Amino acid sequence: MPRFSLHNATASFRLMKRAGELGMVARGQLLQDRRREMRFSSHSQSPKWRPVSVLDEWVAKEARPISLRQLMVFGRSLTESRLMNSANYVRTELPTRLAHRIRDMQRLPYVVVTNAHINEVYDLYYTAFDTFRKVKEIKTLEDNDRFCETIRTMLKAHLTVIPKLARGILECTGLMAADDLDKFMNTILRARISRRVIAEQHLALTDTFHAPWFSPGAKLSESEFIGEVFLKCVAKEVIERCGKMTQKIARGAYGPDVAIPEIKIDGHLDANFPFILSHLEYIIGELLRNAVQGVVEKHQRDSGRGSNPQNAPPPPVEITICESPQNVIIRISDKGGGIPRDILPYLWSFSKGPASEQLLANLGQVPKMAATMQELQLEADQGGKSRTVKREEPGPSNSLATLSSRPPNLRLGMGLPLSRVYAEYWAGSLALHSLEGYGVDVFLQISKLGNKNEQLTTRATMDAV
């Protein structure tokens, strides 16, 4: 017996020594794992993670997609009855769309859903779902006013969703296939746009109905806006407006003496189409920002190497507008040197590969994000109105206009993928071609007629994730 115990003690000592040696070798990896674990274990699990029968009832319902034309036609002759119909559509549609996204999150791997940021988004979604599903049928203007206050509260609370999702996705890199993370993120963001569109359109119609100048049943077809839909987005005007803002951003980021590229526009300069202006401004603003920054930085590098003639201006950013019977295509061309080869594979991805740690640090400085052009403005300009186009009538209190504190040179890695989500939402597209060492061509296609339904991801697509 003593010999057996001594043998065990010796073996134990050897195992302890070996473990110590392994610990010295793996200490760096263990510290990294520890930091990763803290991201996931610091958030207590909500009992709402458990599937409940009430969620099953709403998931069994299908979303009812709408088009820009439907939004316009519905709002042109606004009456109290139509306003009640709009309220009840939103009342049933919001919890339906929220339920599908909650179920999507429940199907993620457990190690992903325990991420603190994704868990917080889940709680926000469940709280909104639980609130909206309990709203009774809207029968009076007073009922509608109370409902609108609930909508405004939820829209404001959900301004944290995009940065939280982005941080969660970056932290989960390696725990789930990058393609699956991107599918999930695209589905969540597209659904988020869909909910905000119908919610903010109803808020806008309600504000119109209560406006002192409004007469129930009066035609609104001569107005620039019907709710949130801008009837006549003139591509040239939007580009010029976004271009001036982008050039102002560049001066703030690089200094007042920096040479800023000119923005030239040609093609079908009268092309126009119905669209939600904040969506279009965000897309154009991000694309121009990338183009201008690329040209400025390449021009500075070339000047430092003596490649540029003295005082030579940077090459312009050239924009061509092409109008067809069905679509408007906007091409943005720059000579900013193209996209580096190591970045190109991650261009449209929300999980940014080697750049994820830096982007995580940057996202930590952006607690809220509405994803509008106004978020590109300098901090000194914040607090402005949601649109630079004037309305003849007072506009609604638009939660999409809330500004973040994003500095002009803070890169988040979300501009291009989020712009493509916006473009594809109304059946458009966004494509990019890079010529390394030369420049970039970006093509934005927009459905001109406004008759395409919002593009909602089906459950079958998400089931494949």
Side-chain angles (χ1 to χ4, degrees):
M1 181 70 69
R3 185 178 299 171
F4 182 77
S5 298
L6 180 61
H7 175 76
N8 285 347
T10 302
S12 297
F13 175 78
R14 288 173 178 168
L15 286 172
M16 290 172 63
K17 182 179 179 182
R18 178 61 176 159
E21 293 170 352
L22 289 173
M24 291 293 291
V25 174
R27 181 171 295 174
Q29 183 62 45
L30 288 172
L31 288 173
Q32 291 181 8
D33 292 344
R34 176 72 180 199
R35 284 194 293 267
R36 179 179 285 273
E37 287 171 8
M38 289 176 67
R39 293 172 178 171
F40 295 86
S41 61
S42 60
H43 192 85
S44 60
Q45 288 302 299
S46 165
K48 294 189 289 292
W49 279 108
R50 296 194 298 268
V52 290
S53 59
V54 68
L55 189 66
D56 293 336
E57 295 172 9
W58 287 91
V59 170
K61 302 176 181 179
E62 291 290 347
R64 294 174 290 168
I66 53 174
S67 68
L68 284 168
R69 179 173 290 179
Q70 286 174 310
L71 291 177
M72 292 185 293
V73 171
F74 189 83
R76 274 203 170 108
S77 296
L78 188 60
T79 63
E80 182 174 338
S81 174
R82 282 196 165 196
L83 189 64
M84 297 301 105
N85 289 338
S86 172
N88 284 301
Y89 168 76
V90 175
R91 177 183 65 86
T92 56
E93 199 67 12
L94 288 180
T96 300
R97 298 185 184 200
L98 282 164
H100 284 283
R101 303 292 75 83
I102 292 169
R103 181 53 48 86
D104 293 340
M105 284 188 268
Q106 290 178 340
R107 288 170 174 158
L108 291 171
Y110 184 74
V111 70
V112 174
V113 297
T114 54
N115 175 274
H117 303 298
I118 294 179
N119 192 288
E120 289 172 19
V121 172
Y122 180 94
D123 282 344
L124 282 170
Y125 276 32
Y126 199 98
T127 299
F129 163 74
D130 204 40
T131 300
F132 285 123
R133 76 177 181 85
K134 295 175 181 177
V135 176
K136 304 296 183 183
E137 182 181 0
I138 311 296
K139 296 181 178 180
T140 66
L141 291 174
E142 290 74 20
D143 291 343
N144 182 61
D145 289 342
R146 286 191 293 271
F147 181 51
C148 287
E149 273 309 305
T150 301
I151 292 175
R152 289 188 178 96
T153 299
M154 291 300 171
L155 287 174
K156 185 176 180 180
H158 283 229
L159 285 173
T160 62
V161 164
I162 293 179
K164 284 184 183 299
L165 277 174
R167 294 178 71 181
I169 292 298
L170 288 172
E171 289 178 358
C172 291
T173 302
L175 300 176
M176 188 173 166
D179 287 347
D180 290 342
L181 283 173
D182 283 332
K183 286 178 185 176
F184 169 74
M185 189 67 165
N186 275 281
T187 299
I188 290 291
L189 289 176
R190 192 172 297 190
R192 179 184 182 273
I193 293 170
S194 78
R195 294 192 304 274
R196 298 184 85 86
V197 164
I198 63 174
E200 291 179 340
Q201 178 70 2
H202 179 67
L203 292 179
L205 292 177
T206 297
D207 287 348
T208 297
F209 190 86
H210 288 312
W213 48 264
F214 176 73
S215 175
K219 298 282 185 181
L220 297 180
S221 56
E222 300 304 318
S223 172
E224 288 183 325
F225 287 86
I226 292 181
E228 287 298 298
V229 182
F230 189 36
L231 298 180
K232 194 176 182 180
C233 284
V234 180
K236 176 178 178 288
E237 294 178 0
V238 175
I239 294 166
E240 287 176 337
R241 193 162 57 248
C242 294
K244 289 177 183 177
M245 180 58 62
T246 303
Q247 290 171 326
K248 186 176 181 181
I249 290 168
R251 291 188 184 94
Y254 298 103
D257 298 327
V258 71
I260 302 296
E262 181 185 358
I263 296 176
K264 293 184 175 181
I265 308 172
D266 62 11
H268 298 139
L269 302 184
D270 295 328
N272 65 85
F273 45 87
F275 215 74
I276 293 182
L277 189 57
S278 60
H279 293 188
L280 183 63
E281 287 180 334
Y282 180 81
I283 300 170
I284 298 295
E286 284 290 349
L287 297 180
L288 287 179
R289 175 178 174 142
N290 289 341
V292 169
Q293 285 184 339
V295 171
V296 168
E297 292 176 3
K298 184 177 187 298
H299 188 258
Q300 289 178 330
R301 290 194 302 269
D302 291 346
S303 298
R305 292 194 298 262
S307 304
N308 283 332
Q310 192 173 9
N311 298 324
V317 175
E318 298 179 339
I319 300 173
T320 304
I321 303 169
C322 176
E323 184 178 24
S324 71
Q326 299 290 327
N327 301 294
V328 171
I329 298 174
I330 301 171
R331 183 186 68 179
I332 300 177
S333 300
D334 68 68
K335 297 177 183 177
I339 298 169
R341 192 171 298 178
D342 59 334
I343 295 177
L344 206 54
Y346 306 100
L347 202 61
W348 302 107
S349 174
F350 290 98
S351 53
K352 289 295 183 179
S356 60
E357 286 299 324
Q358 181 57 53
L359 294 175
L360 264 175
N362 292 349
L363 281 163
Q365 303 178 49
V366 185
K368 294 181 180 181
M369 184 183 295
T372 64
M373 183 192 73
Q374 286 72 29
E375 290 183 331
L376 304 177
Q377 294 186 56
L378 300 177
E379 207 165 40
D381 296 325
Q382 291 183 3
K385 294 184 179 180
S386 64
R387 296 178 181 85
T388 51
V389 173
K390 293 182 180 179
R391 286 186 180 211
E392 294 176 3
E393 301 86 12
S397 175
N398 185 346
S399 66
L400 275 175
T402 302
L403 307 180
S404 75
S405 56
R406 175 186 174 187
N409 58 348
L410 188 66
R411 289 176 167 86
L412 305 178
M414 296 188 65
L416 278 177
L418 191 52
S419 293
R420 188 160 72 172
V421 172
Y422 272 129
E424 292 178 347
Y425 179 71
W426 294 114
S429 65
L430 182 62
L432 180 148
H433 300 282
S434 173
L435 298 173
E436 189 174 9
Y438 184 79
V440 172
D441 282 355
V442 183
F443 297 86
L444 171 64
Q445 178 177 297
I446 296 167
S447 176
K448 181 184 174 183
L449 304 179
N451 61 348
K452 303 292 185 182
N453 279 347
E454 50 182 340
Q455 303 298 297
L456 303 177
T457 303
T458 62
R459 281 182 296 170
T461 303
M462 278 308 303
D463 288 347
V465 175

